[in-house]
Protein backbone atom coordinates (compact mmCIF):
# COMPACT_ATOMS: atom_id res chain seq x y z
CA UNK A 1 0.00 0.00 0.00
CA UNK A 2 1.35 3.42 -0.96
CA UNK A 3 1.27 6.31 1.52
CA UNK A 4 -0.19 9.69 0.53
CA UNK A 5 -0.77 12.83 2.51
CA UNK A 6 -3.66 13.91 0.30
CA UNK A 7 -6.20 12.09 -1.86
CA UNK A 8 -8.14 14.36 -4.21
CA UNK A 9 -11.39 13.05 -5.69
CA UNK A 10 -13.03 14.41 -8.84
CA UNK A 11 -15.91 13.27 -11.04
CA UNK A 12 -15.64 14.30 -14.69
CA UNK A 13 -18.91 14.50 -16.60
CA UNK A 14 -19.53 14.11 -20.30
CA UNK A 15 -18.76 17.29 -22.22
CA UNK A 16 -21.69 18.65 -24.21
CA UNK A 17 -19.37 20.21 -26.80
CA UNK A 18 -16.75 17.42 -26.73
CA UNK A 19 -14.01 19.75 -25.44
CA UNK A 20 -14.06 19.38 -21.66
CA UNK A 21 -11.90 22.44 -21.05
CA UNK A 22 -13.16 22.50 -17.43
CA UNK A 23 -11.21 19.35 -16.67
CA UNK A 24 -8.02 20.80 -18.16
CA UNK A 25 -8.33 24.03 -16.16
CA UNK A 26 -9.24 22.27 -12.94
CA UNK A 27 -6.57 19.56 -13.04
CA UNK A 28 -3.93 22.05 -14.13
CA UNK A 29 -4.65 24.46 -11.29
CA UNK A 30 -5.02 21.80 -8.61
CA UNK A 31 -1.73 20.16 -9.54
CA UNK A 32 0.32 23.24 -10.41
CA UNK A 33 -0.81 25.25 -7.38
CA UNK A 34 -0.49 22.57 -4.69
CA UNK A 35 2.31 23.33 -2.23
CA UNK A 36 4.53 20.36 -3.06
CA UNK A 37 5.00 19.73 0.64
CA UNK A 38 2.53 16.85 0.63
CA UNK A 39 2.37 13.67 -1.42
CA UNK A 40 -0.90 13.44 -3.35
CA UNK A 41 -2.86 11.75 -6.12
CA UNK A 42 -5.94 12.91 -7.96
CA UNK A 43 -8.45 10.08 -8.23
CA UNK A 44 -10.65 10.90 -11.20
CA UNK A 45 -13.88 9.16 -12.13
CA UNK A 46 -14.21 9.77 -15.86
CA UNK A 47 -17.69 9.56 -17.39
CA UNK A 48 -16.20 10.96 -20.63
CA UNK A 49 -13.56 8.26 -21.13
CA UNK A 50 -14.27 7.89 -24.86
CA UNK A 51 -13.42 11.54 -25.54
CA UNK A 52 -9.95 11.75 -27.12
CA UNK A 53 -9.34 15.27 -25.78
CA UNK A 54 -10.07 14.04 -22.25
CA UNK A 55 -7.62 11.19 -22.83
CA UNK A 56 -4.95 13.77 -23.76
CA UNK A 57 -5.69 15.92 -20.68
CA UNK A 58 -5.41 12.94 -18.35
CA UNK A 59 -2.26 11.69 -20.10
CA UNK A 60 -0.65 15.11 -19.52
CA UNK A 61 -0.98 14.48 -15.77
CA UNK A 62 -0.53 10.71 -15.77
CA UNK A 63 1.90 10.64 -12.83
CA UNK A 64 -0.53 12.55 -10.59
CA UNK A 65 -3.89 11.15 -11.77
CA UNK A 66 -5.47 7.75 -11.19
CA UNK A 67 -8.42 7.36 -13.55
CA UNK A 68 -11.40 5.08 -13.06
CA UNK A 69 -14.27 4.56 -15.49
CA UNK A 70 -17.34 2.38 -15.69
CA UNK A 71 -15.06 -0.18 -17.37
CA UNK A 72 -12.94 -0.49 -14.21
CA UNK A 73 -15.66 -1.52 -11.77
CA UNK A 74 -18.22 -4.26 -11.45
CA UNK A 75 -21.44 -2.55 -10.42
CA UNK A 76 -23.09 -5.96 -9.99
CA UNK A 77 -21.08 -6.36 -6.79
CA UNK A 78 -21.42 -2.74 -5.66
CA UNK A 79 -23.40 -2.40 -2.46
CA UNK A 80 -24.91 1.07 -2.32
CA UNK A 81 -25.91 0.72 1.34
CA UNK A 82 -26.89 4.15 2.55
CA UNK A 83 -26.51 5.81 -0.84
CA UNK A 84 -29.11 8.49 -1.10
CA UNK A 85 -31.19 8.96 -4.19
CA UNK A 86 -31.91 12.30 -5.79
CA UNK A 87 -33.44 13.19 -9.15
CA UNK A 88 -33.74 10.26 -11.55
CA UNK A 89 -32.21 12.46 -14.26
CA UNK A 90 -28.83 12.26 -12.54
CA UNK A 91 -28.25 8.56 -13.08
CA UNK A 92 -25.75 6.50 -14.99
CA UNK A 93 -25.27 2.71 -15.18
CA UNK A 94 -27.81 0.53 -13.35
CA UNK A 95 -29.59 3.62 -12.04
CA UNK A 96 -26.79 4.74 -9.75
CA UNK A 97 -26.31 8.42 -9.01
CA UNK A 98 -23.95 10.07 -11.49
CA UNK A 99 -21.93 11.91 -8.82
CA UNK A 100 -22.16 10.31 -5.38
CA UNK A 101 -21.70 6.73 -6.61
CA UNK A 102 -18.44 7.52 -8.46
CA UNK A 103 -17.15 9.38 -5.39
CA UNK A 104 -17.85 6.31 -3.28
CA UNK A 105 -16.22 4.04 -5.87
CA UNK A 106 -13.14 6.29 -5.92
CA UNK A 107 -13.00 6.07 -2.14
CA UNK A 108 -13.24 2.27 -2.20
CA UNK A 109 -10.45 2.08 -4.79
CA UNK A 110 -8.18 4.62 -3.10
CA UNK A 111 -8.59 3.06 0.33
CA UNK A 112 -7.71 -0.35 -1.08
CA UNK A 113 -4.51 0.80 -2.83
CA UNK A 114 -3.33 3.81 -0.81
CA UNK A 115 -3.10 5.02 2.73
CA UNK A 116 -4.00 8.72 2.95
CA UNK A 117 -4.43 11.24 5.74
CA UNK A 118 -6.69 13.81 4.10
CA UNK A 119 -9.36 13.71 1.42
CA UNK A 120 -10.35 16.68 -0.73
CA UNK A 121 -13.08 16.73 -3.36
CA UNK A 122 -13.20 19.09 -6.32
CA UNK A 123 -15.78 19.62 -9.01
CA UNK A 124 -14.24 19.85 -12.45
CA UNK A 125 -15.66 23.36 -12.74
CA UNK A 126 -13.80 24.49 -9.61
CA UNK A 127 -10.11 24.97 -8.93
CA UNK A 128 -7.74 26.76 -6.59
CA UNK A 129 -6.88 30.34 -7.44
CA UNK A 130 -3.76 30.67 -5.34
CA UNK A 131 -0.55 28.80 -4.89
CA UNK A 132 -0.20 26.54 -1.84
CA UNK A 133 -3.98 26.18 -1.65
CA UNK A 134 -3.64 23.01 0.41
CA UNK A 135 -1.74 24.57 3.31
CA UNK A 136 -4.49 26.67 4.96
CA UNK A 137 -6.98 23.83 4.59
CA UNK A 138 -4.56 21.32 6.11
CA UNK A 139 -3.66 23.75 8.89
CA UNK A 140 -7.35 24.03 9.82
CA UNK A 141 -7.80 20.26 9.73
CA UNK A 142 -4.69 19.64 11.84
CA UNK A 143 -5.80 22.21 14.40
CA UNK A 144 -9.11 20.85 15.67
CA UNK A 145 -11.31 21.26 12.59
CA UNK A 146 -13.09 18.14 11.36
CA UNK A 147 -14.23 19.57 8.05
CA UNK A 148 -13.20 22.58 6.00
CA UNK A 149 -14.76 24.00 2.86
CA UNK A 150 -14.76 26.82 0.41
CA UNK A 151 -17.03 29.69 1.49
CA UNK A 152 -18.92 31.11 -1.49
CA UNK A 153 -20.35 34.57 -0.94
CA UNK A 154 -19.51 36.39 -4.16
CA UNK A 155 -23.10 35.99 -5.39
CA UNK A 156 -24.76 36.98 -2.09
CA UNK A 157 -26.89 39.60 -3.87
CA UNK A 158 -28.61 36.73 -5.70
CA UNK A 159 -28.18 33.59 -3.54
CA UNK A 160 -27.35 33.09 0.13
CA UNK A 161 -23.67 32.33 0.96
CA UNK A 162 -22.84 28.65 1.39
CA UNK A 163 -20.01 26.17 1.70
CA UNK A 164 -19.31 24.79 -1.77
CA UNK A 165 -19.24 20.99 -1.92
CA UNK A 166 -15.79 20.84 -3.49
Amino acid sequence: MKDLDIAIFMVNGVSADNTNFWLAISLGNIIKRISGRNSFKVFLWNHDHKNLLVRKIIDDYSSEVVELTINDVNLDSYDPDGEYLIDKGYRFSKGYHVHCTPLQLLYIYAEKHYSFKTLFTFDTDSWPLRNNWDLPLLYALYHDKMLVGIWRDELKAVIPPYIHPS
Side-chain angles (χ1 to χ4, degrees):
M1 185 171 295
K2 300 169 190 155
D3 289 333
L4 297 175
D5 295 311
I6 301 171
I8 301 168
F9 290 3
M10 298 178 76
V11 176
N12 182 50
V14 176
S15 172
D17 61 3
N18 210 32
T19 61
N20 221 317
F21 67 92
W22 291 117
L23 178 63
I25 295 169
S26 187
L27 272 178
N29 279 287
I30 289 168
I31 293 168
K32 290 175 186 171
R33 294 179 181 267
I34 199 164
S35 68
R37 295 183 184 179
N38 299 290
S39 59
F40 75 95
K41 286 279 184 195
V42 176
F43 296 89
L44 175 72
W45 180 273
N46 188 9
H47 285 296
D48 204 11
H49 61 276
K50 294 179 183 176
N51 183 332
L52 295 179
L53 180 57
V54 170
R55 295 263 32 92
K56 168 78 172 93
I57 294 165
I58 294 170
D59 289 347
D60 287 346
Y61 299 105
S62 61
S63 63
E64 294 97 353
V65 176
V66 175
E67 177 192 20
L68 290 178
T69 73
I70 190 68
N71 298 326
D72 299 312
V73 298
N74 179 359
L75 287 176
D76 292 332
S77 64
Y78 174 62
D79 180 11
D81 184 38
E83 183 174 309
Y84 62 93
L85 302 177
I86 307 178
D87 185 320
K88 291 182 180 180
Y90 292 105
R91 302 265 177 237
F92 75 114
S93 183
K94 299 186 182 287
Y96 290 116
H97 190 270
V98 72
H99 203 87
C100 66
T101 301
L103 286 172
Q104 184 63 35
L105 293 168
L106 289 171
Y107 181 79
I108 291 167
Y109 176 87
E111 188 179 50
K112 183 177 179 180
H113 298 282
Y114 294 84
S115 170
F116 50 93
K117 297 176 188 173
T118 305
L119 168 63
F120 291 126
T121 62
F122 276 91
D123 287 340
T124 53
D125 64 349
S126 65
W127 53 85
L129 297 175
R130 67 176 171 174
N131 292 333
N132 304 320
W133 62 266
D134 53 314
L135 298 180
L137 297 172
L138 291 171
Y139 181 86
L141 287 172
Y142 296 160
H143 290 87
D144 298 327
K145 303 295 184 212
M146 296 295 294
L147 178 68
V148 296
I150 308 303
W151 184 249
R152 298 285 310 266
D153 64 1
E154 73 277 6
L155 298 173
K156 62 185 167 192
V158 182
I159 60 173
Y162 65 99
I163 296 176
H164 194 275
S166 69

